[in-house]
């Protein structure tokens, strides 16, 4: 599959053929890293995106029919004959589709009929997984048009249905730009925290084994945050607006902090800034941007408070910065791993 248009005059048949290939491939399985990169590049072209969105429109229409009484009737013997007439009406409502596009999309529609209508029952949506590599930032487009920017060594799973949009932040950090859809709220779950929005821009930091609290920061809009234990808590959720931040664990939430809304998720520009943050958080972030890991040698150092800033390309020099500003000693082992010990440790 190509990743864009090679001629000023758009080849409609080729664009629609590529759209069908991507549509069917994404329906069969999750894309690997190279395929996802090619798909993201392909979707940046307006003609490509328009063709793909028409397929999604058709798919949603078929799914809605299949879920209702009409779908049940179509599964019965002879029901498919009446449905052919409905297809003709659906072609007429797509808008902008000429004779060539009508023929091309007919193939996809008939395939969808076989998969959706003739199946014993509608199948559950398949979660789509997206992963970024070490020291890599990656922006992906979800099926509803929302954008997610993944920090280094991060991963999410997205699973949408007709009632809600669900994303799980499995590890790392992600910035969300959510397309508004009041009929389908957008949920993000991460290590004991649930974030609910309709359409907004916010950042979620999943924490680490040493510092498991989830950090939620809002750049724009309104975000509701709850912990998994909120059902029995006195305060079931916290509402955040632009420039506010909260930390969440499975049992509790911190008080709301005020931050500079213009600097939310500055890591997208490769800049990391910390004010009175635990050393474990700083180290976990740095480890997502450097090959040789930094290890905290003793638990007493995990919550040592740190105020510092560094660029992503300075992650390798962070340990020297920490040694200069904190009561710690840094030791580099033969395999390249760096261990941080209290400053009182003997050589």
């Amino acid at each position: 599959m190509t990743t864009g248009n090679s001629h000023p005059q758009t080849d409609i048949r080729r664009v629609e053929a590529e759209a069908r290939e991507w549509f069917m491939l994404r329906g069969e399985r999750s894309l690997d890293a190279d395929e996802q990169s090619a798909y993201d590049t392909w979707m940046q072209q307006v003609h490509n995106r328009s063709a793909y969105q028409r397929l999604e429109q058709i798919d949603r229409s078929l799914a809605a029919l299949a879920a209702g009484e009409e779908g049940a009737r179509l599964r019965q013997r002879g029901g498919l004959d009446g449905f052919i007439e409905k297809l003709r009406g659906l072609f007429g409502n797509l808008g902008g589709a000429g004779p060539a596009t009508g023929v091309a999309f007919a193939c996809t529609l008939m395939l969808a009929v076989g998969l959706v209508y003739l199946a014993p029952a509608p199948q559950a949506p398949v979660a789509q997984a997206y992963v970024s590599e070490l020291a890599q930032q990656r922006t992906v487009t979800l099926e509803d048009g929302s954008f997610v920017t993944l920090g280094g060594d991060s991963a999410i799973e997205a699973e949408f249905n007709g009632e809600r949009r669900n994303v799980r932040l499995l590890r790392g950090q992600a910035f969300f730009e959510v397309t508004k859809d009041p009929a389908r709220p957008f949920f993000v779950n991460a290590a004991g925290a649930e974030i609910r929005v309709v359409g907004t821009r916010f950042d979620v930091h999943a924490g680490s084994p040493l510092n498991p609290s989830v950090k939620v920061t809002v750049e724009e809009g309104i975000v509701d945050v709850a912990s998994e234990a909120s059902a029995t808590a006195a305060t079931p959720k916290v509402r955040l607006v632009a420039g506010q931040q909260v930390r969440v664990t499975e049992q509790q939430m911190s008080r709301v902090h005020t931050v500079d809304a213009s600097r939310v998720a500055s890591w997208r520009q490769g800049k990391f800034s910390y004010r009175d943050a635990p050393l474990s958080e700083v180290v976990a972030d740095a480890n997502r941007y450097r090959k040789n890991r930094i290890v905290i040698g003793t638990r007493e150092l995990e919550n040592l408070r740190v105020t510092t800033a560094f660029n992503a390309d300075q992650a390798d020099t962070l340990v020297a910065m920490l040694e200069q500003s904190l009561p710690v000693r840094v030791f580099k082992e033969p395999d390249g791993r760096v261990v941080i010990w209290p400053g009182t440790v003997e050589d």
Side-chain angles (χ1 to χ4, degrees), residues 16-17 20 23-24 55 58 62 87 91 99-115:
E16 292 180 346
R20 292 195 301 275
F23 189 85
M24 289 186 287
L55 285 178
I58 293 168
L62 292 172
L87 287 182
F91 282 134
T101 59
V103 173
F105 276 92
C107 298
T108 302
L109 275 171
M110 294 310 296
L111 175 62
V113 170
L115 293 176

Side-chain angles (χ1 to χ4, degrees), residues 261-331:
S262 66
R263 299 181 64 184
V264 172
S266 58
W267 56 266
R268 290 175 294 163
Q269 289 77 47
K271 300 180 183 297
F272 294 82
S273 180
Y274 305 88
R275 183 176 180 180
D276 195 35
L279 178 61
S280 57
E281 178 179 328
V282 178
V283 167
D285 286 347
N287 279 337
R288 292 189 288 110
Y289 290 85
R290 51 177 281 132
K291 179 179 179 180
N292 298 317
R293 297 189 63 78
I294 305 172
V295 178
I296 298 177
T298 63
R299 294 191 64 86
E300 65 186 271
L301 292 179
E302 293 173 5
N303 289 314
L304 183 66
R305 311 315 290 184
V306 178
T307 298
T308 189
F310 65 93
N311 293 334
D313 57 5
Q314 294 178 317
D316 286 333
T317 64
L318 174 65
V319 287
M321 297 166 56
L322 294 176
E323 191 173 34
Q324 293 174 4
S325 60
L326 298 175
V328 298
R329 303 283 295 278
V330 174
F331 296 87

Side-chain angles (χ1 to χ4, degrees), residues 90-316:
L90 186 58
F91 282 134
N93 293 329
L94 287 176
T101 59
V103 173
F105 276 92
C107 298
T108 302
L109 275 171
M110 294 310 296
L111 175 62
V113 170
L115 293 176
V116 177
Y117 285 90
L118 302 184
Q123 296 184 359
V126 177
Q128 297 290 321
Y130 305 93
V131 179
S132 62
E133 303 298 330
L134 191 73
Q136 176 197 31
Q137 284 190 25
R138 178 186 175 192
T139 298
V140 298
T141 305
L142 303 183
E143 64 179 69
D144 68 333
S146 297
F147 296 97
V148 184
T149 301
L150 300 175
D153 192 22
S154 300
I156 62 170
E157 283 185 351
E159 184 175 334
F160 293 3
N161 58 39
E163 298 180 351
R164 56 187 281 164
R165 298 170 285 173
N166 296 314
V167 175
R168 290 181 60 212
L169 178 59
L170 304 176
R171 67 174 184 273
Q173 189 167 13
F175 183 82
F176 295 84
E177 301 173 70
V178 177
T179 299
K180 292 184 179 180
D181 186 352
R184 284 200 306 168
F186 192 103
F187 291 86
V188 179
N189 290 90
E194 180 178 82
I195 301 99
R196 181 186 187 277
V197 303
V198 172
T200 186
R201 295 161 58 91
F202 61 101
D203 183 79
V204 183
H205 188 298
S208 66
L210 296 181
N211 181 39
S213 65
V214 176
K215 184 170 62 176
V216 183
T217 313
V218 180
E219 180 180 271
E220 177 184 297
I222 298 174
V223 172
D224 289 334
V225 184
S227 68
E228 289 186 352
S230 62
T232 58
T235 304
K237 66 181 179 182
V238 169
R239 174 157 290 185
L240 303 180
V241 297
Q244 291 187 329
Q245 179 184 93
V246 71
R247 290 178 180 270
V248 189
T249 66
E250 292 183 359
Q251 287 75 37
Q252 62 184 0
M253 285 186 284
S254 73
R255 65 181 182 86
V256 175
H257 297 273
T258 300
V259 298
D260 184 351
S262 66
R263 299 181 64 184
V264 172
S266 58
W267 56 266
R268 290 175 294 163
Q269 289 77 47
K271 300 180 183 297
F272 294 82
S273 180
Y274 305 88
R275 183 176 180 180
D276 195 35
L279 178 61
S280 57
E281 178 179 328
V282 178
V283 167
D285 286 347
N287 279 337
R288 292 189 288 110
Y289 290 85
R290 51 177 281 132
K291 179 179 179 180
N292 298 317
R293 297 189 63 78
I294 305 172
V295 178
I296 298 177
T298 63
R299 294 191 64 86
E300 65 186 271
L301 292 179
E302 293 173 5
N303 289 314
L304 183 66
R305 311 315 290 184
V306 178
T307 298
T308 189
F310 65 93
N311 293 334
D313 57 5
Q314 294 178 317
D316 286 333

